[in-house]
Amino acid sequence: LQSPDRCCVSHQLFDFYVDKVFRHCRTEDSYINRKISSIANSFLSIRRNFQHCQEQNKCVCGQESLEKLKQVLENYEGLNVTAAAMKALGELDILLDWMEKES
């Protein structure tokens, strides 16, 4: 992905995790819930940094990026909310690895 697309995809995925995934990740284990909450707070902080780029139009999404993001949302919304959130949480390492390689 080109730099603006990487920024756009990263920003959109942080929005996705904050707005959809972390809201529905609850387990019976309070320790795990606290860890999820801690990750969610970190994502909120990082998302604020993306807001600055977004406001300066440095995170413009290309058509290919928009299509990929649309696929992610469609797949997510096709599942039970809680199951989808836990699946997305389980795949968080893939997102973080991708972001590390792209930086």
Side-chain angles (χ1 to χ4, degrees), residues 43-94:
F43 269 56
L44 280 170
S45 177
I46 294 168
R47 184 170 84 163
R48 278 195 285 286
N49 292 332
F50 278 111
Q51 291 300 99
H52 299 296
C53 291
Q54 197 73 11
E55 290 165 2
Q56 298 171 10
N57 289 327
K58 292 184 180 177
C59 283
V60 179
C61 291
Q63 187 61 37
E64 181 181 358
S65 297
L66 291 173
E67 288 298 320
K68 298 286 185 198
L69 292 166
K70 182 180 172 186
Q71 287 176 346
V72 169
L73 287 174
E74 286 174 354
N75 288 336
Y76 180 85
E77 291 171 359
L79 299 172
N80 165 285
V81 174
T82 304
M86 295 308 283
K87 180 176 180 356
L89 186 63
E91 295 174 353
L92 188 56
D93 62 323
I94 296 168

Side-chain angles (χ1 to χ4, degrees), residues 2 9-11 15 19 30 32 42 44 61 76 88 90:
Q2 299 295 324
V9 169
S10 298
H11 180 258
D15 282 351
D19 296 339
S30 62
I32 292 173
S42 296
L44 280 170
C61 291
Y76 180 85

